[in-house]
Amino acid sequence: MSKLIVISGSSGVGKGTVIKSFLEKHPEFKLSVSCTTRAPREGEIDGINYFFLTKDEFETCIDNNEFIEWAEFSGNYYGTKKEFIAKSVQNGDNMILEIDTKGALNVKKLIPESELIFIAPPSLEELESRLRGRHTETEEAIQKRLASIKLEIDNSKYFNHIIINDTIEHAVSELEKIILHN
Ligand code: 5GP
């Protein structure tokens, strides 16, 4: 039976790095590709990092009920297509979804056997400095992201597991313990 793992964490928490490292060691897991209306960051490729859609295209997909879940985050839409997940499950792929906590809780409602994992920063100060160190966002965007952090941490109490990302190696080994032994 294929596994559906949903991973959330505050912006800048390093969850992307943790997931990337896990996937390199465990190629039998596939990362779900979400749709978004935000602009691609440098180096991001359409169809690999995200499917980049216009606001109109995204809203048409919402109207056509094409998303398993979608959320508005920091002024942009993000969503996971039902078709994408259905195809992957049909192929017997073990899937990892990297989505926000609201989306994660919606997936859990629809697919109760999914496993929800929250990756938390060692401290809020550390998180803010990581977010700024990325130099990819405007100050306004950073403020919006910081504002959403409290809500994300609050939602994490409904998750199955919480991992503190103190070091990447430790976080990856915690992730392995949870995912591979469940
Ligand atoms: P970023 O803009 O940094 O790539 O992502 C911002 C937030 O959107 C992150 O918390 C990320 O996990 C979340 N996100 C990415 N894809 C999806 C999705 O398909 N659905 C939901 N609900 N959130 C997503």
Side-chain angles (χ1 to χ4, degrees):
M1 168 97 174
S2 57
K3 292 182 183 179
L4 186 62
I5 310 291
V6 185
I7 302 183
S8 302
S10 320
S11 303
V13 76
K15 62 181 182 300
T17 314
V18 174
I19 293 171
K20 192 166 165 258
S21 167
F22 176 86
L23 290 171
E24 278 165 8
K25 292 169 82 176
H26 305 284
E28 71 277 21
F29 282 83
K30 301 232 159 26
L31 189 61
S32 165
V33 182
S34 302
C35 302
T36 184
T37 57
R38 83 150 162 73
R41 295 194 186 117
E42 210 183 311
E44 284 185 333
I45 298 168
D46 187 42
I48 296 206
N49 302 93
Y50 280 105
F51 296 106
F52 294 100
L53 303 183
T54 63
K55 200 163 175 265
D56 277 355
E57 286 169 339
F58 201 103
E59 286 173 348
T60 304
C61 295
I62 297 174
D63 292 344
N64 294 339
N65 202 17
E66 289 179 44
F67 291 113
I68 185 168
E69 63 76 34
W70 64 272
E72 213 170 337
F73 184 93
S74 280
N76 284 301
Y77 290 131
Y78 293 83
T80 311
K81 285 262 184 92
K82 285 179 186 164
E83 196 194 352
F84 191 91
I85 299 298
K87 266 196 197 142
S88 309
V89 170
Q90 249 171 29
N91 289 342
D93 291 337
N94 293 311
M95 293 298 294
I96 295 186
L97 266 67
E98 184 195 336
I99 63 179
D100 80 335
T101 52
K102 267 180 286 174
L105 295 175
N106 284 334
V107 171
K108 186 79 180 170
K109 255 187 246 157
L110 288 170
I111 310 171
E113 55 281 15
S114 59
E115 198 79 20
L116 267 49
I117 303 172
F118 186 79
I119 301 190
S123 74
L124 281 178
E125 292 74 25
E126 165 106 24
L127 179 62
E128 184 167 352
S129 87
R130 279 195 210 174
L131 204 51
R132 292 187 186 285
R134 234 167 33 180
H135 299 299
T136 52
E137 264 103 343
T138 61
E139 179 60 28
E140 195 197 342
I142 288 175
Q143 288 305 332
K144 272 195 187 166
R145 277 170 188 265
L146 288 174
S148 61
I149 287 168
K150 225 180 145 273
L151 177 74
E152 297 268 286
I153 291 177
D154 201 45
N155 279 340
S156 72
K157 60 177 178 270
Y158 303 110
F159 276 50
N160 301 103
H161 309 275
I162 295 180
I163 296 175
I164 309 285
N165 188 16
D166 39 10
T167 66
I168 300 288
E169 295 72 26
H170 177 245
V172 173
S173 105
E174 289 296 300
L175 199 55
E176 285 176 323
K177 274 190 219 153
I178 295 168
I179 296 183
L180 306 177
H181 303 298
N182 258 317

